Amino acid sequence: MAYILEIATSDFESTKNAVAGGADRIELCANLGEGGTTQSFGVIKKCREQFPSTLIYPIIRVRGGDFFYTDEEYDCMYQDALQCKELQCDGVVVGFLKRDGSIDVERTARIVEAVHPLKVTFHRAFDRCVDPYRALEQLIEIGCERILTSGQQLTAPEGVELIAELNRIAAGRIIIMPGSGVRAENVATLAQKTGCREFHTSLRELQHSKMEFFPKAFADSTENNHYSVNTSSVRQLKDLLNSLS
């Protein structure tokens, strides 16, 4: 069974670079610095049209911060999820918690039902939940396709033990996908220790502006630059995963 590489991208350019590097699936976001929010209709539509052979999973998230949302915020996200279905994306990425840190089963299940037959990934809101074992069973029952997790630590290498345990308990009923801090230098160890077959990363690198002119006051501003995905880094990681198969 082949390994799957998912790349979190933040715009059309980074998605194009990730696809060129061999990404199997795209988690399409905006504002990755805030953990990812929903991209615009135009970007999602363009990526879907331009990359028909690559799986596209937009994140459905109205803002950064925690994962406890007002009714109005949830209504916005519900409509965004339906829009992704209309655009014929392959899936969506969501994460809803209650105030006490438990999974918001009702809201998650409503999205899963609404976007069917699109698949649903539950993102790293999972890493903020109070009981990962109960959450695992709830997300299986709801019908989520996978859980993106760093093992309730800041990075997947730090949370490797919990990730491995969750993957063992899941036993193929749901996909456990390590994410956060996944790099070429540690992915083989993560694969060996966890038994997981899918991995998530952004591989973001700073891209310097190609503008030839800036007013003097803005010449050295960091706002001139932006982050994107390095195609060669994606290809290196994908080749490494292929070598493990």
Side-chain angles (χ1 to χ4, degrees):
M1 180 180 174
Y3 286 95
I4 300 296
L5 178 61
E6 176 179 281
I7 301 294
T9 65
S10 56
D11 51 30
F12 180 81
E13 175 194 38
S14 58
T15 302
K16 181 179 179 180
N17 292 345
V19 171
D24 300 292
R25 184 171 58 243
I26 299 297
E27 183 195 51
L28 182 55
C29 310
N31 300 314
L32 276 177
E34 294 186 34
T37 58
T38 304
Q39 252 297 355
S40 71
F41 174 91
V43 172
I44 297 172
K45 184 174 185 291
K46 186 68 172 178
C47 290
R48 177 70 291 169
E49 292 172 348
Q50 290 290 114
F51 313 117
S53 300
T54 302
L55 298 173
I56 303 290
Y57 280 56
I59 194 170
I60 306 299
R61 190 175 178 219
V62 74
R63 57 162 172 79
D66 63 32
F67 304 100
F68 175 68
Y69 300 102
T70 65
D71 290 341
E72 293 82 2
E73 287 175 326
Y74 180 78
D75 287 344
C76 292
M77 290 185 280
Y78 184 83
Q79 294 302 320
D80 284 339
L82 291 180
Q83 191 171 76
C84 290
K85 183 178 181 179
E86 292 176 9
L87 290 173
Q88 300 183 333
C89 295
D90 300 285
V92 295
V93 181
V94 303
F96 306 110
L97 299 180
K98 294 184 177 180
R99 194 188 298 270
D100 64 2
S102 63
I103 300 294
D104 193 324
V105 172
E106 182 180 349
R107 284 179 167 181
T108 307
R110 186 176 173 221
I111 293 283
V112 171
E113 181 179 0
V115 302
H116 182 80
L118 273 64
K119 305 298 184 181
V120 176
T121 298
F122 196 91
H123 60 52
R124 289 183 62 219
F126 181 87
D127 292 322
R128 276 75 163 180
C129 75
V130 65
D131 185 344
Y133 303 106
R134 182 165 184 261
L136 172 67
E137 298 301 332
Q138 289 174 320
L139 294 174
I140 291 171
E141 179 66 24
I142 289 168
C144 289
E145 180 185 30
R146 73 176 51 76
I147 296 169
L148 169 61
T149 179
S150 57
Q152 298 210 316
Q153 300 296 322
L154 294 179
T155 68
E158 293 173 287
V160 65
E161 292 184 6
L162 178 57
I163 295 171
E165 188 173 9
L166 291 169
N167 194 46
R168 178 185 61 78
I169 295 170
R173 295 176 296 158
I174 193 170
I175 298 164
I176 303 298
M177 179 171 63
S180 183
V182 175
R183 298 288 185 269
E185 58 266 25
N186 59 33
V187 71
T189 299
L190 285 169
Q192 187 272 323
K193 288 186 175 181
T194 65
C196 295
R197 308 294 299 190
E198 300 191 7
F199 294 90
H200 169 101
T201 186
S202 64
L203 299 178
R204 290 190 299 159
E205 294 186 13
L206 188 65
Q207 304 295 309
H208 293 281
S209 174
K210 295 181 173 61
M211 289 286 295
E212 295 178 353
F213 169 79
F214 287 108
K216 184 176 181 180
F218 298 95
D220 297 321
S221 173
T222 57
E223 294 179 0
N224 297 333
N225 308 314
H226 68 282
Y227 283 92
S228 189
V229 172
N230 186 307
T231 297
S232 61
S233 296
V234 176
R235 186 175 296 115
Q236 178 189 18
L237 187 52
K238 181 59 180 175
D239 287 347
L240 198 161
L241 285 171
N242 287 339
S243 72
L244 301 177
S245 301

